[in-house]
Amino acid sequence: MQIKDVARKLKISPRAIRFYEDKGLISPSKQETNSYRTFTEEEIWRLQTIISLRESGMSVADIQKALQETDADNKAQLQYYLEIQRSVVYAQWLEFKHIIETTDTMINLLKQNNSVPIDDIFTLAEGSKRLREIRKNWKDTWNFDQQALTHDERVLHNDDEYKGYEEILDLTWQWVKPRVGEKGLDLGTGTGNLAHRFLQNGIHMAGVDQSKEMMKQCQSKHPQMDIKLGNFLAIPYMDNQFDFIVTSFAFHHISNEQQPLALDEMRRVLKSHGRICIADIMFETESAQEQYMNDLLASGRTDLLTTMQEKHYAICPVLLSWFEENGYITKHAKINDLLYIVYAVPIKPL
DNA sequence: TTTCTCACA
DNA sequence: TGTGAGCA
């Protein structure tokens, strides 16, 4: 296939295809006589993946790294590509859903007032801001160096950061206490240690993680689990799917401003009675967090300090008030210096 | 038609 | 991170 046909098929410019070649993402063979590029089916498939990754906000440099990784591991390649594609489509779906909702409200406002107030136009702008947030976050998500880093950290279970790890996972199980037949979701499931508590009691569990290595390990440990590649801000499931969501040591991967967006996303995939349980390191106030960091510095624990500084720990009261403002009743406990568990159940309409 | 390079945002 | 113009 020649470049123009490929470009038409993929709906991009021939110029862009040459650009990707220049950046080393593809290397189509060239005819000896005229040095025209010819593209095989495989190369078109690869290009399609590149385009999807670009749309998700991943930089060209990161795409190159990603493709190198998958090239080395051919068997998992197809599945991984498809996982990425699905994540992208889910994000786009959310995007459309949101645009439709805002348009609807604007139509209703027009019917009532015959004019659209400035405030509502502002709300629309906020909506597109949310989309940018999602994209921006995805860029971080696909940073492979960072993935490797979290991988190592999580394997070291008994570090200071993971003090009380087993205890809080058990507690999460006890608090949520699902009935047989209920469906749960573990966000940032990692190797599935939290999900395991539920699976061994016969509860159907789904999991989401942003790392394919984690997914691979988790799937081999728990073959019955439904694991998808995805992100807190674009959970790759349809609406109203789950009876409960649990998450441990993962909520801190998204920034404090994005955390309410993540909670909105959780509510979207939950059934109306769906409950949420978050186990993670948190602080009582921002100054308490600063104090803790300062103490670490003073006691020479710079290693722990640097890993903790990369995270976005929630302020527990802020989290609790979000739940209360959004119609939940909450229960929480402090396990040790750092570790909190927060459980939220929606108040049922009478 | 396609390739390549240069300039531009 | 791409896009167009002009050339061969």
Side-chain angles (χ1 to χ4, degrees), chain A residues 251-264:
Chain A
F251 201 61
H252 60 244
H253 283 122
I254 41 177
S255 74
N256 293 46
E257 307 89 69
Q258 289 173 337
Q259 281 168 5
L261 294 179
L263 293 169
D264 282 338

Side-chain angles (χ1 to χ4, degrees), chain A residues 79-80 82-84 86-87 90 142 183 185-190 205-212 214-216 218-219 225-232 234-238 241-242 269:
Chain A
Q79 198 209 327
Y80 182 50
L82 291 174
E83 290 281 346
I84 293 169
R86 178 174 52 201
S87 306
Y90 261 104
W142 302 121
K183 252 184 97 177
L185 173 66
D186 182 10
L187 285 177
T189 191
M205 288 298 287
V208 172
D209 205 278
Q210 60 184 23
S211 154
K212 72 160 180 166
M214 291 292 183
M215 278 179 63
K216 215 188 278 178
C218 189
Q219 193 72 78
M225 207 175 151
D226 172 32
I227 307 158
K228 290 185 181 178
L229 188 74
N231 181 286
F232 269 64
I235 299 171
Y237 286 93
M238 292 289 173
Q241 296 288 303
F242 299 102
V269 298

